[in-house]
Amino acid sequence: MPEMPDWQRFLSADDRETIERGRWAKRVGFGARPAVILIDVQNYMVGEEGNHDLAAYPYSCAAGWAAVWQTKRIVGAARAAQAPVIYTRFAIDRIVGDAGLFDSKIGAEAGENVYFEGTHGSVIVDAVAPEPGDLVFTKKKPSSFHGTPLLPYLIDRAIDTLIVTGGATCNCVRATVFDAFSYNYRTIVPADAVFDRLPISHAINLFDMNRCSADVTDTEAVLAYFADLAQRAA
């Protein structure tokens, strides 16, 4: 099993006993027909590589670019294995007023580098830009399943495994993972290909997903899986 983020330091002896007693965190494994989803890998989420000016990109994540480059490797392997690649964008239209309660919790001021429709911030980063044949859709809520065409798309292609990348771990990744699990998809989260603004949120949410709804692994395991699929198809 690959090395995991350091969530163990947050667990007490009683916590570990509870996990052992309940036999939590069993492995489900990969299936036969995967798809990769890139959740909100947008300019507002990661900013400019090497530029940690949070005033310019107030919602950016310093760890985001490391995950972007790992995601790029996964996407390349998925395409080589002819697996679907799916992108979500989170973009709010202030004129329409479709933020719902989002503004009540996280109310960004107007700006070019946040998540408003039509801005630089709302665009998927060039490093992992979609290609012809990829599914790209905009969502308004954390889960990639909520109010989107994701579920019927997966059903139509008989997908059984969803590999989840992007950010943020505690918000849209977690919401998507729990919904995928509820729909009985084998859900795989490469820990080095997802990111969060807060290290503690990253670690604890990966722990929770691994405990009860997903297999948390790493990029190398995903690449090996796709290489095996591609070899079988050759």
Side-chain angles (χ1 to χ4, degrees):
M1 184 174 175
E3 183 179 352
M4 294 299 167
D6 184 18
W7 59 53
Q8 292 294 335
R9 63 194 176 97
F10 298 107
L11 303 178
S12 68
D14 286 345
D15 294 334
R16 295 186 181 92
E17 183 180 341
T18 296
I19 294 165
E20 181 68 23
R21 183 172 60 249
R23 299 182 64 194
W24 297 94
K26 295 168 70 176
R27 309 300 278 179
V28 174
F30 294 90
R33 295 183 61 87
V36 174
I37 184 166
L38 289 74
I39 299 178
D40 304 354
V41 186
Q42 296 164 255
N43 291 320
Y44 89 90
M45 290 282 284
V46 295
E48 300 174 8
E49 187 174 19
N51 180 2
H52 301 308
D53 181 4
L54 296 184
Y57 290 91
Y59 291 101
S60 65
C61 171
W65 275 101
V68 168
W69 293 119
Q70 295 289 51
T71 298
K72 184 177 179 68
R73 298 174 68 206
I74 291 172
V75 168
R79 290 184 174 130
Q82 299 185 337
V85 178
I86 305 162
Y87 292 77
T88 73
R89 294 171 61 251
F90 177 73
I92 295 300
D93 188 332
R94 277 275 169 83
I95 296 175
V96 174
D98 57 7
L101 290 176
F102 187 79
D103 279 349
S104 299
K105 294 295 291 184
I106 312 170
E109 297 181 0
E112 184 64 20
N113 294 330
V114 290
Y115 44 74
F116 299 132
E117 190 65 79
T119 65
H120 170 73
S122 71
V123 176
I124 295 168
V125 299
D126 287 341
V128 288
E131 295 185 1
D134 297 337
L135 175 66
V136 183
F137 58 83
T138 300
K139 64 185 180 64
K140 305 293 181 176
K141 302 297 179 183
S143 174
S144 300
F145 288 92
H146 189 97
T148 76
L150 178 57
L151 181 59
Y153 181 92
L154 298 177
I155 292 171
D156 182 60
R157 285 152 182 79
I159 299 301
D160 65 4
T161 301
L162 191 61
I163 298 166
V164 181
T165 68
T169 313
C170 69
N171 294 330
C172 299
V173 168
R174 179 185 176 118
T176 299
V177 164
F178 273 83
D179 277 353
F181 175 78
S182 296
Y183 287 121
N184 289 327
Y185 287 102
R186 296 171 182 262
T187 309
I188 310 296
V189 182
D192 53 350
V194 296
F195 58 90
D196 201 292
R197 300 170 184 89
L198 303 175
I200 187 173
S201 291
H202 183 66
I204 291 300
N205 281 281
L206 285 171
F207 161 75
D208 267 340
M209 289 185 283
N210 189 67
R211 179 176 60 88
C212 63
S213 59
D215 286 1
V216 174
T217 184
D218 63 9
T219 293
E220 295 302 327
V222 175
L223 296 180
Y225 164 68
F226 275 127
D228 183 61
L229 282 183
Q231 185 176 14
R232 292 183 186 183

